[in-house]
Amino acid sequence: MKRISILGSTGSIGRSTLSVTETYPERFQIVALAAGKNLEAAFEQARRWRPRMLSIAAEADAEGLRTRLRQAGMNDIEVVYGAAGAVQVATHRDADFVVSAIVGVAGLEATFEAVKAGKTVGVANKECLVAAGELITAEARRQGKPLLPIDSEHNAVHQCLRGGRMEEVERIWLTASGGPFLNTPRSEFSSITVEQALNHPTWKMGKRITIDSATLMNKGFEVIEACRLFHIPPSKVEVLVHPGSTIHSMVEFVDGSILAQFSVTDMRLPILYALTYPERIPSDMRFPVGNLRHLDFCSPDMNKFPCLRLAYEAAEAGGAKTVALNAADEVAVAAFLEGSIGFDDIPKIIEGTVSATNAAKMESIAKVLEADATARRYAQEWVLGMARKTVRPRATSVV
Amino acid sequence: MKRISILGSTGSIGRSTLSVTETYPERFQIVALAAGKNLEAAFEQARRWRPRMLSIAAEADAEGLRTRLRQAGMNDIEVVYGAAGAVQVATHRDADFVVSAIVGVAGLEATFEAVKAGKTVGVANKECLVAAGELITAEARRQGKPLLPIDSEHNAVHQCLRGGRMEEVERIWLTASGGPFLNTPRSEFSSITVEQALNHPTWKMGKRITIDSATLMNKGFEVIEACRLFHIPPSKVEVLVHPGSTIHSMVEFVDGSILAQFSVTDMRLPILYALTYPERIPSDMRFPVGNLRHLDFCSPDMNKFPCLRLAYEAAEAGGAKTVALNAADEVAVAAFLEGSIGFDDIPKIIEGTVSATNAAKMESIAKVLEADATARRYAQEWVLGMARKTVRPRATSVV
């Protein structure tokens, strides 16, 4: 029986995780849940999975939730809240496995504390590896516990890596759908609308990650994540555009053999893999291999998609540069979604913010959060400047 | 330092093995070689690799070879001959690893003795697994030593299987180029010429295996080999046509993940893998992953290629049936190459021979050789009957 805490239980990955655990009640038990602001969903999850602890985002909601649970006969569920509540969920003494799926930097502290507490952590939160990857992976190594990737690309890499040892890896090949603008001429990028950018060809995802897929920044983040997760330099991580997204990623070994992983595009599959690793257990998520007909590939165009180049540069520099990359991207994407800036302004804001940031080493989660806030302010200021059609803000060092 | 004996050193796999070992002189040492009838090649190999023992096929050639080696100052090379000589090479006390690459049933005894002597064996000889697979794999399990496949498909499967445990395997997918007649209508099969059949789209190989690729019998043999090597029933081995032969094979796991292996089409790669397993060492055999553009697949047509169906049936029955399948195929292919029978007569001879054979369990290599000889005589008789355009021979039990 694996005992699980979920950070971000009411989000997409959180709900998929609960769905997976529900399929195998003899294998998994839910110990603690950290939900967000959706009280109704949190209450329903508590009723259905009877965790020992339930955390919600706002202190103001905690007492009301406690009362409601008591009235429904669930006195035994401890209600906690906020960042400290998420840490309590992450470090719950009855949990063996923690799924880190809180979106954004809000998930950093709780994830880091889970790793420090010796839990096995399944990572779905991008910021854990992009912004705080050096810190968190170093701690996981110190604890001798695996960090198991829950996004499809790194999960695929993790599977392929079983075909050899890390020192036998020549290169990691991350596949990319290429997004909706793979074949759009660069000259049309300035007139791309929000609606066009939200139309992702293969995966249905949240808005930010969909825009990040359209700019290839999401693939750039994944390059950084791969570097951190697998302790490999950016020069050994390559991106191959594969519009069908059938093959999720590949590993090339020094002897010349390449292993590739594919499966249906269902997040429950990497979640199940992470939850059961090193075992595999039967699922109904069958890819119809016999119906496989065509797989297509092409090279990514870094000139058309400068975000990918920016990510490689930040990965190489490390430290606060990757923090700034993520923060600036979040600000720029939000501004694009609001209509304040154009699609091709996104990389400009990111590049400006990252180049104004020193590659300071991040020694604590607090430092990461500080660098994140500074970069956000800088990027925000730039967005305002752009929105007012004024000149770019003064380039001051942000860290 | 891995110390190697090669059975079939002057053949294609034997020469490739020597080429691989030559690239890594600090890792591999040649202990003993069993050559065929090519005395000149055997002498040259002795001079170049200085084995402790050299076996040749014919007794009549042994004394002359001894004299020549002595005159060239190589008194220290022990010359042996024939089946017993091959066994001496296979069981040489200084050898850790034996490459089994003698073509045909001639390689069976020596390979079996190598396994019995506790050597790690790299298997390139098809008959070892098709005709004597149950016997040889059972002995390898008893010895607790791996049998490492040296053909590209099973080598690929072996690599993919590292992604999980055998009981976690849902299915093995062997890819097939489809041969030169993938898109030829069945109605034209009777007029296929030898020249057309020898024109394989992707691999350059010997004549028999090229014809076996054109009939898909080679893939059928591989289905049987996979069953024997990986202890898996034929129902769990599938064939997927993949004309480019980029992906060498795949493994589908119970959780829904599929791992696929690809690489350049160079036999030195699976040889290197087998020689270094469980390690991987750097090679110059690089597949240009970044240039990957299209991979195409389709389902095999068992009606058009009845040899594949016959192989599945023989795999299911086991014992003497697979011996007969191989023997009858060798006879039928030789007859086709001589112009005695048509391309579409090949499966008829095989089907007739296999159905006239009882599925007797093969308890020894001697029994395998006996069943092989009986099936050959039966198939031969049928070929003569066909060549004379007479009726099919009487169906007598051949085992």
Side-chain angles (χ1 to χ4, degrees):
Chain A
M1 183 68 79
K2 207 162 258 178
R3 296 171 309 167
I4 298 164
S5 281
I6 303 176
L7 303 172
S9 63
T10 51
S12 161
I13 296 290
R15 282 179 285 121
S16 290
T17 304
L18 287 169
S19 153
V20 168
T21 61
E22 196 174 26
T23 314
Y24 308 91
E26 72 293 355
R27 287 193 160 257
F28 305 116
Q29 190 192 337
I30 299 300
V31 165
L33 299 174
K37 288 168 189 160
N38 188 337
L39 272 191
E40 202 48 49
F43 178 77
E44 275 309 315
Q45 290 186 344
R47 183 148 71 179
R48 192 141 160 211
W49 279 282
R50 292 296 184 108
R52 296 176 202 174
M53 181 181 278
L54 175 62
S55 180
I56 48 160
E59 178 174 8
D61 294 327
E63 198 44 49
L65 188 58
R66 259 184 220 115
T67 309
R68 233 184 122 183
L69 287 170
R70 200 165 44 232
Q71 285 165 350
M74 293 180 277
N75 308 20
D76 51 333
I77 301 179
E78 185 180 355
V79 175
V80 293
Y81 58 83
V87 170
Q88 281 180 275
V89 166
T91 58
H92 197 289
R93 65 172 187 178
D94 294 339
D96 318 306
F97 193 103
V98 176
V99 174
S100 165
I102 292 176
V103 175
V105 291
L108 287 188
E109 195 192 353
T111 306
F112 187 63
E113 292 301 324
V115 173
K116 260 175 74 180
K119 311 295 185 191
T120 297
V121 176
V123 192
N125 168 306
K126 180 167 54 192
E127 285 76 11
C128 285
L129 295 167
V130 174
E134 289 152 315
L135 209 56
I136 289 179
T137 58
E139 184 59 33
R141 260 177 298 173
R142 202 170 299 129
Q143 295 289 339
K145 286 288 164 66
L147 276 182
L148 294 162
I150 291 186
D151 63 336
S152 63
E153 287 80 359
H154 302 92
N155 193 269
V157 170
H158 191 276
Q159 297 193 37
C160 295
L161 285 173
R162 295 169 72 165
R165 293 172 305 160
M166 270 317 296
E167 56 270 37
E168 294 164 357
V169 172
E170 176 78 16
R171 217 171 258 115
I172 285 173
W173 291 89
L174 299 175
T175 52
S177 73
F181 308 123
L182 181 60
N183 301 312
T184 306
R186 171 103 210 236
S187 57
E188 294 174 19
F189 270 35
S190 60
S191 57
I192 284 170
T193 66
V194 170
E195 195 188 8
Q196 288 170 327
L198 285 176
N199 184 26
H200 191 270
T202 45
W203 290 90
K204 291 290 149 236
M205 305 170 294
K207 282 186 179 179
R208 181 185 169 200
I209 191 171
T210 304
I211 303 299
D212 284 343
S213 297
T215 61
L216 290 203
M217 181 50 103
N218 185 51
K219 209 49 56 179
F221 289 144
E222 289 177 6
V223 169
I224 301 171
E225 292 179 74
C227 294
R228 302 303 176 246
L229 264 174
F230 307 117
H231 314 300
I232 195 165
S235 59
K236 289 192 162 194
V237 181
E238 301 260 2
V239 172
L240 186 64
V241 175
H242 172 40
S245 301
T246 299
I247 291 180
H248 297 317
S249 278
M250 318 192 252
V251 171
E252 179 180 353
F253 291 96
V254 291
D255 60 356
S257 272
I258 298 116
L259 292 186
Q261 188 268 359
F262 63 103
S263 63
V264 292
T265 48
D266 186 326
M267 286 311 296
R268 291 178 303 141
L269 203 140
I271 291 169
L272 179 66
Y273 177 85
L275 287 179
T276 59
Y277 177 81
E279 277 183 80
R280 293 180 185 269
I281 64 174
S283 87
D284 59 357
M285 293 176 275
R286 303 246 71 83
F287 185 98
V289 183
N291 298 343
L292 206 54
R293 288 301 172 262
H294 306 286
L295 300 176
D296 295 307
F297 307 86
C298 63
S299 299
D301 181 344
M302 295 241 199
N303 290 320
K304 210 163 110 176
F305 298 103
C307 285
L308 186 56
R309 172 180 55 78
L310 296 174
Y312 270 103
E313 289 167 7
E316 200 66 68
K321 292 270 194 193
T322 62
V323 181
L325 185 85
N326 172 67
D329 177 71
E330 192 168 329
V331 169
V333 168
F336 170 68
L337 287 170
E338 283 164 8
S340 311
I341 62 170
F343 185 78
D344 61 346
D345 291 329
I346 297 173
K348 293 175 197 159
I349 288 168
I350 299 167
E351 181 152 29
T353 308
V354 174
S355 58
T357 305
N358 294 325
K361 191 160 182 266
M362 297 289 94
E363 278 133 357
S364 66
I365 296 294
K367 286 272 182 206
V368 172
L369 296 176
E370 199 184 306
D372 176 78
T374 311
R376 256 166 229 274
R377 277 194 303 275
Y378 187 89
Q380 203 59 260
E381 198 182 328
W382 202 329
V383 165
L384 290 173
M386 272 192 173
R388 286 193 307 263
K389 304 257 180 266
T390 62
V391 292
R392 47 173 278 182
R394 258 179 323 127
T396 51
S397 177
V398 294
V399 172
Chain B
M1 184 66 82
K2 207 163 258 180
R3 298 171 308 168
I4 297 163
S5 281
I6 304 176
L7 302 172
S9 63
T10 50
S12 161
I13 295 290
R15 282 180 285 119
S16 291
T17 304
L18 288 168
S19 152
V20 168
T21 61
E22 197 173 25
T23 314
Y24 307 92
E26 73 292 355
R27 286 193 161 256
F28 304 117
Q29 190 193 338
I30 299 300
V31 165
L33 298 175
K37 287 170 189 162
N38 188 336
L39 272 190
E40 200 48 50
F43 179 77
E44 275 309 316
Q45 290 186 345
R47 182 147 74 180
R48 193 142 160 211
W49 279 281
R50 292 297 184 111
R52 295 176 203 174
M53 181 181 278
L54 175 63
S55 179
I56 48 159
E59 177 173 8
D61 294 327
E63 198 44 49
L65 187 59
R66 259 184 218 115
T67 308
R68 234 184 120 184
L69 288 170
R70 198 164 47 233
Q71 286 166 350
M74 292 181 278
N75 307 19
D76 50 335
I77 300 179
E78 185 179 356
V79 174
V80 293
Y81 58 83
V87 170
Q88 281 179 276
V89 166
T91 57
H92 196 289
R93 63 172 190 179
D94 294 340
D96 316 306
F97 193 102
V98 176
V99 173
S100 165
I102 293 176
V103 174
V105 290
L108 287 188
E109 194 192 353
T111 306
F112 187 64
E113 292 301 324
V115 173
K116 259 175 75 179
K119 312 295 186 191
T120 297
V121 175
V123 191
N125 169 308
K126 180 167 54 191
E127 285 75 10
C128 285
L129 294 167
V130 174
E134 288 152 317
L135 208 56
I136 290 179
T137 58
E139 183 59 31
R141 260 178 297 173
R142 202 171 299 130
Q143 295 289 338
K145 287 289 165 67
L147 276 181
L148 294 161
I150 291 186
D151 63 337
S152 63
E153 287 80 0
H154 302 92
N155 193 269
V157 170
H158 191 276
Q159 297 193 36
C160 295
L161 285 173
R162 294 169 74 166
R165 293 172 304 160
M166 270 316 297
E167 55 271 34
E168 294 164 358
V169 173
E170 176 77 17
R171 220 171 255 115
I172 287 174
W173 290 88
L174 300 175
T175 52
S177 73
F181 308 124
L182 181 59
N183 301 313
T184 307
R186 171 104 210 238
S187 57
E188 293 173 20
F189 270 36
S190 60
S191 56
I192 285 170
T193 66
V194 170
E195 195 187 9
Q196 288 169 326
L198 285 176
N199 184 28
H200 191 270
T202 45
W203 290 91
K204 290 289 150 236
M205 304 171 293
K207 283 187 181 179
R208 182 185 168 199
I209 192 171
T210 304
I211 303 300
D212 283 343
S213 297
T215 61
L216 290 203
M217 181 50 103
N218 185 51
K219 209 47 58 177
F221 288 145
E222 290 178 4
V223 169
I224 300 171
E225 292 178 76
C227 293
R228 302 303 175 246
L229 264 174
F230 306 117
H231 314 300
I232 195 167
S235 60
K236 288 191 162 195
V237 182
E238 300 260 2
V239 172
L240 186 64
V241 175
H242 172 40
S245 300
T246 300
I247 290 180
H248 297 318
S249 278
M250 318 194 252
V251 171
E252 179 180 353
F253 292 96
V254 290
D255 60 355
S257 273
I258 298 117
L259 292 185
Q261 188 267 0
F262 63 102
S263 64
V264 292
T265 47
D266 186 325
M267 285 312 296
R268 291 178 304 140
L269 203 139
I271 291 169
L272 179 65
Y273 177 86
L275 287 178
T276 59
Y277 177 81
E279 277 183 83
R280 292 181 185 269
I281 64 174
S283 87
D284 59 357
M285 293 176 276
R286 303 246 71 82
F287 185 100
V289 183
N291 298 342
L292 205 54
R293 287 302 170 261
H294 306 285
L295 300 176
D296 296 306
F297 306 87
C298 63
S299 299
D301 182 343
M302 294 241 198
N303 290 319
K304 209 162 112 176
F305 298 102
C307 285
L308 187 55
R309 172 180 54 79
L310 295 174
Y312 270 102
E313 290 168 6
E316 201 66 67
K321 293 270 192 191
T322 61
V323 180
L325 186 85
N326 172 67
D329 177 72
E330 191 169 331
V331 169
V333 168
F336 170 69
L337 288 170
E338 283 165 7
S340 312
I341 62 170
F343 185 77
D344 61 345
D345 291 328
I346 297 173
K348 292 176 197 160
I349 287 168
I350 299 166
E351 181 153 28
T353 308
V354 173
S355 58
T357 305
N358 294 323
K361 191 158 183 271
M362 299 288 93
E363 278 133 357
S364 67
I365 296 295
K367 286 274 180 204
V368 172
L369 295 176
E370 200 184 306
D372 176 77
T374 310
R376 256 167 229 275
R377 276 194 304 273
Y378 186 87
Q380 202 60 262
E381 197 183 329
W382 201 330
V383 164
L384 289 174
M386 273 192 172
R388 286 193 308 263
K389 304 256 182 263
T390 62
V391 292
R392 48 175 279 185
R394 258 182 320 127
T396 51
S397 177
V398 296
V399 171

